[in-house]
Amino acid sequence: MPTDLDNSSTASGEASVSSSGNQTAPAPKPTTKKKRNLPGMPDPDAEVIALSPKTLMATNRFVCEICNKGFQRDQNLQLHRRGHNLPWKLRQRSSKEIKKRVYVCPEASCVHHDPSRALGDLTGIKKHFCRKHGEKKWKCDKCSKKYAVQSDWKAHSKICGTREYKCDCGTLFSRRDSFITHRAFCDALAEESARGPSQTQNVNLNSESDPKVQTVNSPPPAAAAAAAAQASVPSQPTSSSAPSQPAALPIQGSVGVPELPENPPEDAAAVTQRKGHCSSSNSSSSNGSTSSSVFASLFASSTTSGASLQPPAFTDLIRAMGQPDQPTDLAPSSSIEPISLGLSTSHASSIFGSAGQERRQYAPPPQPAMSATALLQKAAQMGAAATNASLFRGFGIVSSSSSSTQQDSMQWNQRQAESDSASIAAGLGLGLPCDGSGWKELMMGSPSMFGPKQTTLDLLGLGMAAGNNPNGGLSALITSIGGGIDVAAAAASFGSGEYSGKDLARSS
Amino acid sequence: MMQFTETPPQPLHQIVTTPPFSPNLPIMNKNQTHRTRPWPGFPTSSKLTNFGDANCMEQLLVHCANAIETNDATLAQQILWVLNNIAPPDGDSNQRLACAFLRALIARAARSGSLKLLAAMNAAQANLAIHTHKFSVIELAGFIDLTPWHRFGFTAANSVILEAVEGYSVIHIVDLSLTHCMQIPTLVDAIASRQDGLTTPPLLKLTVAGTTEDVPPMLDLSYEELGSKLVNFARSRNIILEFRVIPSSYTDGFANLIEQLRVQNLVYPESGHEALVINCHMMLHYIPEETFQNFEPCSSSSTSITTSSSSLRSMFLKAVRGLDPTVVVVVDEDADLTSNDLVGRLRSAFNYLWIPYDTIDTFLPRGSKQRQWYEADMCWKIENVIAYEGFQRVERLEPKCRWVQRMRSAGFRSVSFGVEAVNEVKAMLDEHAAGWGLKREEEDLVLTWKGHNVVFATAWMLA
C-alpha cells in the first residue's frame, strides 16, 4: 500500500492533492471524541489523499509495458514484471512508521469530500463513490434491483428470492408469520390506521411522540403524587391545551408534553375511547376527545391512586419503547428523576433511577399502587413476619428517593446494622425468622462479593463447621446463590421493588 | 449412569462424609428410568468432572429433596453446599438447570418451615425471588418467535383450525393460550389469505379468558388493549374481528367462561353457521387435576385416570364437549408433573426441563436480556413444581397419553393433522436449530428435541 501514493501520482499522473492532514484537514474539534464507529472520522495525523474520479475508478492502473496487462496495485505489477525478466522493484516497507492514509471522496458535494470525514481505506472510498455517486450498472435478474458495486450485487443475488418483510417500525423479518405476529402488535400499524386526522396538535403528538418511552417517567409518580398535583389541577382538564399541562404536573414539562397523550392509562373509558378512536373515522373532534379523556383518566388515576388504575397505566407507558429510532434510554430518566423526586413521595423515582441503567422497558411495574410510605407502614405492621426482609430490601432501594421515607429507611438500616454486628448468630440459631446475617449482604447486594471463588472459600470455612455454627455458612451460601442469580437477573435492585410488592400482596 | 460407571459419586463421600448419605444411594438408584438421555457436547470444568454430570446432579437434588422432606437440616445444608458449588447460575446448561432446582429446593425448605435454619433464610430466599419479566407485546412476539416451543403448536393448530372452519360464515375462536393471543395474528392472516375476494370474509369472534393469575410469560398490557390491537390488525387484513374478554380463571376450570359460552349457545341456538373453535395452548395443565374424592393421598397416574371423571380438569373437558365445538385443539408440554411425591416430581421435571436449557444456546447468546427472561420463566416453573403444594402448585403437566384418555372419555375423537399441517410445521422447524424434530404419533404431532418429546399437538372433534 505504501506504493499507492507514489504511483498514483507518478504512474497515472492524476493524483491531485497529497498532503498531511494536519495542514489541510482541520483537525477534528477537540471537544468531540474520536468515534471509531462513525464512518469517516479519521485520525488527525493521517495523510489525506484525494484522487480524481477517474483514478479512483480505474481498475487496473498499473499496466505492464510488455503485455499490457493491467494490475490494481503496483506491487502486483512488479511481481508480474519478474516474469518478463524486466527489472522490478518491490518497495520495502520503510522501517519508519507508516503514515496512516485516508481518502476523501472526489464528489465536492459529498460529506466525505471534507478531509475531516475522509474514509480510512481506498476500497472503502471506491465503493462509497460508486454507490453514492456512480452508475448502478449491476442489475439483479430476479428482482431488477440495481447495484453500483459488483460485490453488493453478488451479495444480493445470494439472498434474493428469500423473502424479506419489513415492518414500518424498521424491523426486518425473514418469515411471514414472524412478520405477521409482529405487525399485528406493532405500534406502527396502530399509528398507520389512527393517523390521518388533521388536527394539528394531536397529530403532532401522535406521529412524533411515538417514543412513548419517555413518557414512562410520568405516570406512577403522577399517580402516587396524586394529592399534591391534584390540588392544583382543574377538575376538568378537558380543555387543557398541552402546554398548560406542565403547570399541573411539572414532570411533563420536563419530559416534553407531547408524549403524554399517546399513552392513555388503561382505564376502561380510555380503552373504549381509544377503540372508538381507532375504528371511527378519526375526525378531529374525536381525536380531541381522546386526548382529553386521556388527561382525565390520568388525573382520575392520580386522584384515586387506586390499585386498579395505576399499574396498567404504568405498564402501558413502559411498554411503548418500541421504536428503534428513538434511543431515549438514559437521558430522560436522569433529567426527570429529580423532578419526580420533588414531586412525589412514591417509590417511583428510585425505580426510574435504577431502570435508567437498564432500559426503561424492562422495568417491571410495582404491583400494588401504594405509596412508599403506605408500604412502609404496612411493613411495620407486619413486624417480624418472615417475608419482611424482602420488603425492607425493596424499601432500602425505594426509600432513598423520597425524603419522607428516607428517615424510615434509615431506621431500618440502623436496625440492620445492629443486628448484623451483634445478634446474627443468636438470631439464626434460634431460628428467628426475621433476623439474619444474610440481610445486610443482601441489602448491600454488591455483585462482586458473589464471585464464585470467594464464595467457595467462604463456604469451605463455614460450611464444614456446619454442626456448630451453620448460620454463617448457610447464609453465605444462600446469599451467594442469590447474588449470582441476582446478577444474572441483572435487574436486581429494581426487581426487588416489585417483589416487595408481591410479597406484600401475598402475605396480606 | 451409563457414561459414568467408572466414576460414580464416590468423590462425594470423600468431601462430605455423612452417614445418612450412602445408605440413601441405593434407594435413589432403583427407579432411574431416564438414564439414556443423551447429553451432547457436555462441557465440564476439569475440577468438577464428576459432579458436572446431569445424572449426578439429579442424584444430589434428590438427596437434597429427601433431606429437606425428612427435616435433616445438616444433610440438606451439606448437599446444598455441594450443589451450590457444582451448579453455578452462570454455568453450562446442566449447571443452570441444577441451579434452578437448587433454588427451588431452598424455596421449598423455606416455605415449609420444616427446617428452622432454612426458614431463617426465608428472607434471603425472598430475594432470590425470580424476576420474571413483564413482556411488552412486541417483546413477547419476538420472544416466542425464537424457538419452536410455541410456534410448533401455533402452526399445527392454525392449520387444523383452518381446515375445520372452512365454509363457515362466522368463526368463534376461544383462545385459551398461555401466550396471550400470540397465535391469533397468523390465524387471522391465514383466514384472510384464503379469501378469494369473491365471497365475503367470515366474521371472526375471539374470546379469551382474562385470567387473574400471573403465570409467565407475563404481559404488561391489558387484554383490552391487546384486543384493540388485534381488532385493528384484523381490519387491516379486511377481517372483522370481535374481541371479548371473559374474566375467568383456570383455578375453577374456567367456569365463568364455560358458563358464558353456554348462555350464548342458548341465546343463539340457530348459530349453525358459526364454527366454535376451542384452542387450548399450554393452558389446560393449569386446571387442577386432583380428584375430589381422594384429594390427599397419591393420585398416581393410574388412579387419577380411573377417577378422573371427577377432577376439575375432566369436568372442564366435559363442559367443553357440551358446547358442541367444531374443533378442539389441545397443545401442551409432554411431561408428567402431577406426582404428589416431591422426589418423583423432581425427577420428572429434571428430566424434562433440561430441554429448554439445552435448546437455549441455539437461539440466544449468553448474557442476553432475553435469555435472562427465558431462564427466569423456567426458574419460575421449576420453583412452582418443587416448592409449592396444593392449589398453589399450578404447573401440573400431564403427558400426551393422559390427555388423549381424558379427551376420549369426555366424548371426543381425535382428528388427524393433514399433510398441509405437517408440511407447515416442517417448514417452520427448518428455520430453527437442527435438534428440533417432528414426530407423528397416531393422529397427533409431537415436537421433539434431539429425539425427546417436547410438545404435543392434538386435534379433536365430537365423537
Side-chain angles (χ1 to χ4, degrees):
Chain A
M1 272 317 242
T3 48
D4 273 348
L5 180 61
D6 296 313
N7 286 299
S8 63
S9 50
T10 56
S12 69
E14 282 178 344
S16 42
V17 186
S18 156
S19 62
S20 158
N22 276 339
Q23 293 160 9
T24 52
K29 294 168 207 161
T31 48
T32 55
K33 273 186 201 162
K34 234 193 315 179
K35 286 183 187 165
R36 283 274 164 224
N37 49 357
L38 259 185
M41 298 290 275
D43 197 326
D45 303 329
E47 229 174 332
V48 178
I49 295 168
L51 298 172
S52 74
K54 203 173 158 198
T55 321
L56 197 57
M57 299 314 296
T59 44
N60 300 322
R61 294 183 289 148
F62 305 100
V63 181
C64 171
E65 62 259 46
I66 304 289
C67 64
N68 279 336
K69 187 169 179 187
F71 295 90
Q72 289 194 0
R73 297 175 184 210
D74 182 50
Q75 302 279 48
N76 296 341
L77 173 62
Q78 297 299 335
L79 290 170
H80 170 83
R81 285 166 69 97
R82 282 197 302 184
H84 294 303
N85 268 337
L86 289 171
W88 55 278
K89 187 180 84 181
L90 274 182
R91 189 182 175 105
Q92 300 294 321
R93 291 237 146 169
S94 55
S95 58
K96 56 180 178 179
E97 60 166 327
I98 302 153
K99 254 214 155 174
K100 187 161 165 44
R101 297 180 174 172
V102 293
Y103 303 83
V104 295
C105 178
E107 176 65 43
S109 60
C110 177
V111 286
H112 295 295
H113 186 65
D114 185 336
S116 68
R117 294 289 306 274
L119 296 180
D121 70 315
L122 187 60
T123 334
I125 199 73
K126 240 183 201 174
K127 282 187 177 173
H128 156 81
F129 185 69
C130 285
R131 282 182 190 133
K132 300 296 175 189
H133 318 293
E135 183 199 354
K136 298 189 173 178
K137 49 190 174 187
W138 301 94
K139 184 175 163 186
C140 173
D141 292 337
K142 290 179 229 163
C143 71
S144 300
K145 205 168 176 184
K146 287 181 178 174
Y147 291 89
V149 177
Q150 191 185 10
S151 59
D152 291 353
W153 169 76
K154 272 185 186 164
H156 164 82
S157 302
K158 274 183 199 156
I159 58 150
C160 183
T162 62
R163 287 182 293 179
E164 245 182 26
Y165 302 91
K166 187 172 184 188
C167 179
D168 293 344
C169 74
T171 322
L172 271 175
F173 298 89
S174 60
R175 304 186 297 247
R176 182 174 170 82
D177 56 348
S178 314
F179 167 68
I180 289 292
T181 311
H182 166 91
R183 181 73 177 154
F185 298 116
C186 183
D187 289 333
L189 179 69
E191 262 165 43
E192 188 177 275
S193 45
R195 205 170 286 159
S198 58
Q199 211 201 19
T200 51
Q201 210 169 40
N202 280 306
V203 169
N204 196 1
L205 299 182
N206 266 338
S207 54
E208 189 192 284
S209 72
D210 195 281
K212 309 167 180 181
V213 203
Q214 301 179 350
T215 332
V216 167
N217 301 297
S218 48
Q230 189 217 350
S232 64
V233 170
S235 57
Q236 279 279 9
T238 328
S239 61
S240 66
S241 61
S244 79
Q245 284 302 326
L249 284 178
I251 298 171
Q252 298 163 23
S254 72
V255 184
V257 187
E259 291 83 14
L260 239 196
E262 183 66 18
N263 301 281
E266 245 349 286
D267 189 354
V271 170
T272 48
Q273 271 291 356
R274 192 183 161 108
K275 269 188 182 170
H277 167 78
C278 290
S279 59
S280 76
S281 59
N282 288 315
S283 68
S284 61
S285 68
S286 84
N287 214 338
S289 74
T290 302
S291 81
S292 68
S293 85
V294 164
F295 286 125
S297 52
L298 176 75
F299 289 112
S301 73
S302 67
T303 52
T304 56
S305 79
S308 60
L309 281 178
Q310 188 259 348
F314 183 34
T315 56
D316 178 36
L317 293 157
I318 284 181
R319 166 188 58 86
M321 185 68 190
Q323 307 296 326
D325 48 332
Q326 289 281 352
T328 55
D329 287 342
L330 298 177
S333 126
S334 53
S335 67
I336 289 328
E337 199 171 338
I339 297 165
S340 60
L341 245 177
L343 234 191
S344 76
T345 58
S346 90
H347 45 274
S349 62
S350 82
I351 282 167
F352 290 130
S354 55
Q357 290 153 18
E358 304 276 52
R359 296 168 76 176
R360 200 74 40 65
Q361 169 193 24
Y362 305 136
Q367 290 271 321
M370 278 195 205
S371 74
T373 352
L375 280 170
L376 260 184
Q377 278 169 1
K378 184 134 194 181
Q381 288 163 12
M382 303 211 313
T387 50
N388 61 5
S390 73
L391 282 171
F392 296 149
R393 180 177 162 159
F395 290 137
I397 291 150
V398 157
S399 55
S400 61
S401 61
S402 80
S403 57
S404 70
T405 43
Q406 187 77 37
Q407 296 169 350
D408 292 320
S409 82
M410 289 287 281
Q411 288 171 6
W412 287 114
N413 283 333
Q414 266 179 2
R415 224 184 99 177
Q416 264 164 7
E418 286 164 17
S419 65
D420 183 56
S421 61
S423 61
I424 323 152
L428 264 178
L430 292 169
L432 292 179
C434 68
D435 204 351
S437 63
W439 269 33
K440 195 186 169 198
E441 288 160 15
L442 289 164
M443 293 290 290
M444 306 299 206
S446 93
S448 65
M449 69 178 293
F450 301 125
K453 277 273 179 335
Q454 203 180 338
T455 308
T456 312
L457 285 178
D458 227 23
L459 287 170
L460 268 173
L462 291 161
M464 290 316 249
N468 296 332
N469 185 9
N471 320 317
L474 192 54
S475 66
L477 166 102
I478 288 173
T479 311
S480 70
I481 300 165
I485 286 156
D486 273 359
V487 171
S493 63
F494 182 69
S496 64
E498 184 198 17
Y499 264 88
S500 68
K502 256 209 163 143
D503 278 0
L504 226 180
R506 198 180 289 162
S507 58
S508 58
Chain B
M1 268 332 210
M2 287 159 65
Q3 313 96 299
F4 291 89
T5 39
E6 289 170 8
T7 54
Q10 273 91 352
L12 193 63
H13 299 265
Q14 290 161 11
I15 297 174
V16 187
T17 349
T18 44
F21 215 83
S22 17
N24 275 350
L25 273 176
I27 306 171
M28 294 314 134
N29 286 333
K30 74 180 177 193
N31 57 349
Q32 292 175 346
T33 54
H34 302 281
R35 289 303 79 123
T36 52
R37 182 214 301 173
W39 287 92
F42 180 82
T44 47
S45 70
S46 53
K47 287 174 292 183
L48 304 169
T49 316
N50 299 322
F51 291 114
D53 172 27
N55 292 330
C56 177
M57 287 182 181
E58 184 184 342
Q59 291 283 15
L60 284 167
L61 288 167
V62 165
H63 285 310
C64 188
N66 277 326
I68 289 172
E69 290 306 273
T70 55
N71 234 340
D72 187 342
T74 316
L75 179 58
Q77 206 173 295
Q78 282 162 337
I79 304 174
L80 284 177
W81 174 72
V82 172
L83 274 169
N84 186 46
N85 280 289
I86 63 171
D90 55 351
D92 63 34
S93 60
N94 289 319
Q95 291 171 327
R96 296 196 309 278
L97 172 71
C99 179
F101 275 88
L102 170 65
R103 289 171 42 141
L105 282 172
I106 295 173
R108 181 182 178 89
R111 285 179 57 82
S112 68
S114 57
L115 299 174
K116 285 289 183 197
L117 292 175
L118 285 170
M121 296 325 297
N122 194 9
Q125 172 59 27
N127 270 316
L128 301 192
I130 304 145
H131 303 295
T132 44
H133 176 66
K134 279 215 179 211
F135 289 88
S136 79
V137 68
I138 288 293
E139 279 170 6
L140 187 61
F143 193 68
I144 278 170
D145 199 46
L146 291 171
T147 144
W149 200 276
H150 292 290
R151 296 186 75 211
F152 160 76
F154 292 175
T155 313
N158 280 354
S159 186
V160 84
I161 290 170
L162 213 58
E163 210 169 299
V165 301
E166 177 113 50
Y168 284 91
S169 55
V170 182
I171 302 169
H172 185 182
I173 300 159
V174 179
D175 191 30
L176 297 175
S177 171
L178 185 61
T179 57
H180 311 291
C181 297
M182 284 297 147
Q183 182 182 342
I184 302 304
T186 47
L187 183 57
V188 168
D189 182 62
I191 290 170
S193 305
R194 197 170 61 178
Q195 299 307 311
D196 50 10
L198 301 175
T199 53
T200 49
L203 169 69
L204 233 53
K205 297 183 186 173
L206 178 61
T207 301
V208 300
T211 49
T212 48
E213 291 77 14
D214 276 337
V215 173
M218 293 187 230
L219 191 64
D220 74 351
L221 194 66
S222 74
Y223 270 9
E224 283 74 17
E225 178 136 4
L226 189 75
S228 80
K229 279 179 184 290
L230 286 170
V231 168
N232 197 20
F233 168 72
R235 189 180 305 115
S236 79
R237 304 290 287 122
N238 208 18
I239 297 266
I240 296 173
L241 177 71
E242 290 175 3
F243 181 81
R244 189 163 57 136
V245 186
I246 298 180
S248 186
S249 152
Y250 52 75
T251 48
D252 62 354
F254 298 105
N256 193 31
L257 178 79
I258 295 282
E259 195 50 41
Q260 297 276 333
L261 293 173
R262 194 177 285 145
V263 166
Q264 196 190 23
N265 264 11
L266 287 175
V267 175
Y268 308 103
E270 79 292 351
S271 56
H273 287 294
E274 178 172 321
L276 178 60
V277 177
I278 314 283
N279 184 55
C280 309
H281 183 91
M282 304 198 185
M283 183 54 103
L284 298 193
H285 71 261
Y286 292 102
I287 301 176
E289 102 290 358
E290 279 157 320
T291 50
F292 289 134
Q293 300 108 316
N294 50 352
F295 198 85
E296 153 248 328
C298 62
S299 64
S300 79
S301 53
S302 54
T303 55
S304 76
I305 287 168
T306 50
T307 60
S308 65
S309 52
S310 55
S311 77
L312 213 46
R313 201 170 280 194
S314 288
M315 281 162 58
F316 168 78
L317 295 181
K318 285 241 165 67
V320 167
R321 169 66 182 79
L323 297 170
D324 293 336
T326 315
V327 65
V328 179
V329 183
V330 178
V331 173
D332 219 320
E333 294 162 332
D334 198 3
D336 186 358
L337 301 182
T338 54
S339 168
N340 275 354
D341 163 45
L342 172 64
V343 170
R345 224 158 59 218
L346 187 147
R347 283 183 181 284
S348 191
F350 194 82
N351 283 288
Y352 177 70
L353 292 173
W354 66 275
I355 298 174
Y357 279 90
D358 195 39
T359 61
I360 195 170
D361 284 319
T362 66
F363 60 87
L364 282 175
R366 264 170 192 249
S368 77
K369 264 275 171 276
Q370 286 180 314
R371 185 161 167 151
Q372 286 164 15
W373 302 340
Y374 181 88
E375 294 199 348
D377 283 2
M378 296 315 305
C379 283
W380 187 94
K381 210 168 221 183
I382 291 168
E383 181 170 322
N384 189 270
V385 171
I386 300 298
Y388 291 77
E389 291 294 350
F391 69 93
Q392 284 184 306
R393 180 158 65 79
V394 296
E395 290 287 344
R396 293 165 177 261
L397 294 176
E398 280 187 311
K400 184 181 77 129
C401 56
R402 220 180 293 164
W403 281 109
V404 167
Q405 254 168 310
R406 285 187 190 278
M407 290 303 283
R408 292 222 171 101
S409 56
F412 290 101
R413 68 180 167 86
S414 69
V415 189
S416 188
F417 287 87
V419 188
E420 187 75 356
V422 173
N423 288 340
E424 292 267 317
V425 171
K426 276 183 180 160
M428 184 273 299
L429 291 184
D430 281 344
E431 295 159 359
H432 293 280
W436 298 103
L438 177 65
K439 203 161 74 175
R440 293 202 75 147
E441 284 185 359
E442 294 152 19
E443 321 272 59
D444 317 319
L445 297 183
V446 180
L447 173 70
T448 62
W449 172 254
K450 294 179 180 170
H452 298 265
N453 286 15
V454 181
V455 176
F456 66 83
T458 58
W460 305 88
M461 286 184 177
L462 303 184

